[in-house]
Amino acid sequence: MTMKKKFLRFILLIFCALAMIALLSACQKEVTFEDIVIEGEDVSGLQEGVYTLRYTIKNLEQYQKKHSASVNVIVTDQNNNVVELENQRTLKIKKDYVYLVTITVMSGDKVKTHNYTVTAIKSPITVTFTSIYNNFKDIIKVVPYGGTLTDIPEVPDYQPEEQAGYTTTVIKVGWDRADFTNLKSHIKVYAVYNITSERNLYRVIYHTDGGSEIPPRQYYYEEYLEEPEEPQKEGCVFFGWYKDKELKERFSFNKAQIGAENIDLYARWLQPVENSTSPDYFDFVLINNGKSYSISAKENIPMPETKTLILPSVYNGKPVTKIGKFSELANIKEVYLPESVTEIQPAAFSAQPLLGDGPAQTELERVFIHERAELTSIPEKAFAYCDKLHSINIPSGVLSIDKQAFLECSSLNEVLFEDDSKLKYIYEEAFQNCLSLEQISLGENMTALYGKAFYNCHALTEVTILALTPPSMAANCFYYNNGGQDQIIPSLTFYVPQQSLQDYKNNNSFKPFDNITALPD
């Protein structure tokens, strides 16, 4: 081929190429906002650390050659908190977090948005099997995130604490959740039990000691008891129910409920007091809703020549429980109070003279109170001004000797307390001016001695107190009047328990007294 032909071909090829370029340029379509495509796929299982967001925006650069357009990338976590990015691409991944990536392209009033998620690697899921009951030990199972738990433990036995008076039955029902598939959050599963609790039945057994029989009665726990009809026994009067065979602790049906055990009750009987003084000397008044009698001396009737009153324990088939007025018995020297007595009225034997009547007249020397009498107090002025009274015994159940109970009993030199005395309180002036009283012994329950309780008892040499804790004591309790001034009774010695000796000496109430001595062991 000649050089001329080669040149012409070359020119032709260039022309064709230029023609093709012009043709392609003429055919290319202009990129619009609608041609922009945002792409980003959900990603999961990412490790903790720095992560570069993977997304593309197609046709954005071509569009931006002729138009203004901006790109905004916002990432929020599962708590809707905005996460800081570097260069709109890089964020720090945290374990168990899920991130929402929002990419927005804006051009004027035109907006395009695309969302996708970035999920970090998930921790294993714990399933805790537990119970609301205190003695349960949790069972913990672990499964991969999104996994299924197949090893379901058996519901453990549950033994509730024993509840007095009830029988409890427990039946295992199961767990409060049945679906353990696709687990994506920690869960707590509770054991379910069917628990029933029923009140127990208990019996009240009546021991009548030869009286008419009373069948046992059954009650549910905490049910109120009904008082049975009184039993009968020939020649005796029923005197109530007691909790013990020794008949020391009385039982009351007033709002009584059955406890978590059977109850044994014992009947107490009264027999007429032998050689008791004739009822003709007394007035009897029904009290306690007609269940017992109060007894008083008849007025204007001479008392027995024996100068002894033996009060009856029963009258007309009912117990005599209250001692009324016996304060004008000028010729009576001895009085016997029966075991049925539960109350003495204030000033019952007081010889206090009435205003303008001159000195009181009383010959009372001795008072015998049955040791089983259920007195709780020697009341106010009960024996006040009985200036010839020299001996009295105090039953163990007496808790208090009240104000002026033995005021001006100047001959009193013997006050006998039972060994198990429950005496707690001696009130104001109870033994004031008991000039012959040389010694007194107070039991282990002694709690308080009030003002002038033993004032002017200047013959006192020994006061025994068995209480381990020093009782409270008024400042003038063991003082006497010496020429118009109060002074400690001379020659007075306190005898106290060996183990409490120092406590008594350090006690403010006893510090003024020099003679505090320990009892022998």
Side-chain angles (χ1 to χ4, degrees), residues 1 7 19 32 54 61 78 121 152 163 166 168 193 204 238 241 281 303 345 350 373 376 394 404 418 439-440 465:
M1 183 181 295
F7 178 75
T32 66
R54 299 175 183 176
E61 291 184 3
Q78 67 265 33
I121 190 170
I152 310 299
Q163 186 178 1
Y166 289 84
T168 302
Y193 301 92
V204 180
F238 178 70
W241 295 105
Y281 289 96
M303 286 290 109
Q345 80 170 32
S350 173
T376 58
I394 309 295
Q404 298 182 349
E418 301 292 337
Q439 61 183 22
I440 195 161
I465 305 177

Side-chain angles (χ1 to χ4, degrees), residues 367-417:
V367 175
F368 298 91
I369 305 176
H370 197 289
E371 62 180 13
R372 295 180 64 188
E374 295 180 356
L375 285 170
T376 58
S377 71
I378 304 299
E380 182 176 342
K381 292 186 178 180
F383 300 95
Y385 301 97
C386 293
D387 57 0
K388 292 182 175 59
L389 177 66
H390 64 79
S391 177
I392 188 170
N393 65 297
I394 309 295
S396 61
V398 171
L399 300 177
S400 67
I401 297 177
D402 293 349
K403 184 177 181 180
Q404 298 182 349
F406 296 97
L407 177 67
E408 301 288 349
C409 292
S410 56
S411 299
L412 184 64
N413 60 18
E414 186 177 57
V415 181
L416 301 175
F417 293 95

Side-chain angles (χ1 to χ4, degrees), residues 31-38 56-64 69 105-107 112:
V31 175
T32 66
F33 190 79
E34 286 71 24
D35 295 326
I36 295 174
V37 178
I38 306 172
T56 60
I57 307 176
K58 294 182 179 181
N59 299 323
L60 177 61
E61 291 184 3
Q62 293 88 333
Y63 181 81
Q64 286 178 323
V105 178
M106 293 181 292
S107 178
K112 273 199 173 185

